[in-house]
Amino acid sequence: MINRRKFLQLSSAGALGCLAGVPGGFLNLPVASAATAISPAFVPDVEIALTAAPDQAQIMAGRPTHVWKYTGKLLRGKQDNMTNNDNTYLGPTIRIQKGQKVRIHFQNRIPDPSIIHWHGLHVPADMDGHPRYVIPRGENYVYEFEVRNRAGMYWYHPHPHGRTGHQVYGGLAGLFIVSDDEEKSVALPADPYDIPLVIQDRIFDGNNQLSYPVQNMMERMTGLLGDRILVNGKPEYTLSVATRAYRLRLLNGSNSRVYKLAWEDGSPLVVIGSDGGLLEKPVQKNYVMLGPAERIELWADFSKYPVGSDPAMVSLSFDAGTLNGGGRGRGMMGGSALLPNGYPFTVFKVQVDRKEKETLVLPQRFSAIQRYQESAAVNSGSPRTFRLLLNHMNWTINGRTFRMEEVADDEIVQLNTLDVWEFVNEPGGMGMMGAMDMPHPIHIHGMQFQVLGRSGVKHRGYVDEGWKDTVLLMPGERVKLLVRFEDYPGLFLYHCHNLEHEDMGMMRNYYVRKI
């Protein structure tokens, strides 16, 4: 163990990696202090006060629902940099140009300790929302960072260890949309034809209040599955459209549910973007597997439908693995499966209610993506392997669970290097009542990565062509990634984005060492 002064000296000198050989192969770091003061040298283009606090939202008919909600106040910038979503529990939509500098004053007014993670954004370690930076109720945290990401739909949500699932489920989440010159050069549907859609599932009691019944070990091990599908915070969501093309940006904001998205009438999904923004060219899929935290962007052309049509986006049936030796995966809530993972249902409906002349044609090229080469990786031919496995009633990564300041030897990487990481969703984990094989959406903090390849694949609906920050592995699958660690040294996270799995400890640190 090293003290804080020594840690800071080693960090600034780029020498922290020399401690990797401590007994047991772990590097223990001191608990960090919260950033509570602004930096006079940092001049923001956009400045926002963002508060998490108890609130109420009209979700169901009748009584309003008690929620936790982010609300924002724009202190500096243009009016379109931030929009409060007053008619839902979702937090403000923040819109930023690539290259702009952002300062956000986070104020925690909920009874839990909390911190915000900017999911998918490439930011310094102390701006990324690691749970070691949580602040209690009544305290503030100041975020200051330059937006270096390419255009795309990112998002933000809490990241306290052990309570992330509960806080996101309570309502704390919002969108962070980045634009850039490359995106502007493409003729895409623009506002009001550019529509973000946040898909979540929830359980309500008889008084319209949210129920979070993750109480026993089995419920925590499966992840929370709700019996109502909400889109943009509303049940039985209907999207009103004209007879023209739309850009639909979909986020799976659910705690643990996987969606197999398709148009009900069998029309192909025209995918134009993924987690990290636009693809190079459109890709057609009969369906898309979308794990928690993943995003896709669709070109949806409704000009072929007559006014009065009501096409629907559905989630098709699929095999979600085994639970309790029972074949298809089930969600256990109070001992019963309300809307199990892998069962079919309608996600949202579309109402074609007006005629408009279409002026756009689907572009055949959107962007230029420089592909990483495996041969350029420092560990080419010998990937770091991370095995996802149930071990002694815990979901683990390489047999390990989360420790706040712990880093293993094989979790230390070097700044400005390209690495090959391979994740393996090991079959055959044993739970209390038999075999448990489950989907695991893996999220790596700090940067976007590229998917090099998959094996053991049972589903063909993955969108691996572009930049990613979250990748879904169904039981028995393995995926190989190319990850470049650049700009920012320090401590970051990688974890399963089934939030109940994450809260149980299916999360680890990795350390980017500056040479």
Side-chain angles (χ1 to χ4, degrees), residues 239-243 302 305-311 350-354:
L239 176 64
S240 173
V241 302
T243 54
F302 299 110
Y305 294 99
V307 172
S309 301
D310 56 351
V350 176
Q351 182 65 49
V352 183
D353 59 11
R354 61 195 185 278

Side-chain angles (χ1 to χ4, degrees), residues 414-486:
Q414 294 183 6
L415 187 65
N416 296 322
T417 60
L418 181 67
D419 240 48
V420 184
W421 285 23
E422 185 175 41
F423 288 91
V424 183
N425 190 350
E426 294 277 16
M430 297 300 293
M432 292 183 294
M433 301 173 65
M436 292 188 70
D437 299 331
M438 296 196 66
H440 294 297
I442 296 300
H443 173 45
I444 303 177
H445 285 222
M447 77 290 295
Q448 299 284 311
F449 53 77
Q450 293 176 0
V451 177
L452 183 61
R454 292 179 181 264
S455 59
V457 174
K458 300 176 182 178
H459 300 280
R460 301 296 176 182
Y462 297 116
V463 180
D464 291 337
E465 287 81 357
W467 290 100
K468 297 283 291 175
D469 54 59
T470 308
V471 62
L472 176 64
L473 289 89
M474 300 300 287
E477 294 182 350
R478 63 172 61 207
V479 63
K480 193 181 292 186
L481 313 175
L482 284 167
V483 190
R484 181 167 181 82
F485 304 97
E486 56 188 2

Side-chain angles (χ1 to χ4, degrees), residues 154-184:
Y154 308 91
W155 64 304
Y156 60 95
H157 60 78
H159 219 294
H161 178 48
R163 297 288 287 174
T164 295
H166 186 252
Q167 291 186 14
V168 172
Y169 190 81
L172 294 178
L175 297 176
F176 194 107
I177 298 176
V178 179
S179 60
D180 63 15
D181 291 340
E182 183 181 49
E183 178 192 52
K184 292 176 183 177

Side-chain angles (χ1 to χ4, degrees), residues 353-505:
D353 59 11
R354 61 195 185 278
K355 193 172 183 62
E356 289 185 15
K357 184 178 180 180
E358 181 54 272
T359 58
L360 295 178
V361 176
L362 175 66
Q364 292 307 299
R365 188 169 181 84
F366 302 122
S367 68
I369 296 178
Q370 183 179 1
R371 295 295 303 182
Y372 294 151
Q373 299 300 316
E374 185 177 10
S375 59
V378 295
N379 60 340
S380 176
S382 181
R384 296 175 191 261
T385 301
F386 303 92
R387 300 187 181 277
L388 315 174
L389 184 66
L390 184 64
N391 186 15
H392 299 296
M393 301 308 300
N394 276 307
W395 291 111
T396 66
I397 303 176
N398 283 346
R400 306 166 183 147
T401 54
F402 182 64
R403 300 292 182 270
M404 189 68 73
E405 294 90 33
E406 183 180 87
V407 184
D409 283 344
D410 58 2
E411 295 171 322
I412 297 176
V413 300
Q414 294 183 6
L415 187 65
N416 296 322
T417 60
L418 181 67
D419 240 48
V420 184
W421 285 23
E422 185 175 41
F423 288 91
V424 183
N425 190 350
E426 294 277 16
M430 297 300 293
M432 292 183 294
M433 301 173 65
M436 292 188 70
D437 299 331
M438 296 196 66
H440 294 297
I442 296 300
H443 173 45
I444 303 177
H445 285 222
M447 77 290 295
Q448 299 284 311
F449 53 77
Q450 293 176 0
V451 177
L452 183 61
R454 292 179 181 264
S455 59
V457 174
K458 300 176 182 178
H459 300 280
R460 301 296 176 182
Y462 297 116
V463 180
D464 291 337
E465 287 81 357
W467 290 100
K468 297 283 291 175
D469 54 59
T470 308
V471 62
L472 176 64
L473 289 89
M474 300 300 287
E477 294 182 350
R478 63 172 61 207
V479 63
K480 193 181 292 186
L481 313 175
L482 284 167
V483 190
R484 181 167 181 82
F485 304 97
E486 56 188 2
D487 298 325
Y488 304 122
L491 194 69
F492 295 90
L493 297 166
Y494 67 101
H495 60 84
C496 179
H497 218 284
N498 177 320
L499 297 184
E500 283 68 50
H501 291 182
E502 174 188 331
D503 284 342
M504 285 182 68

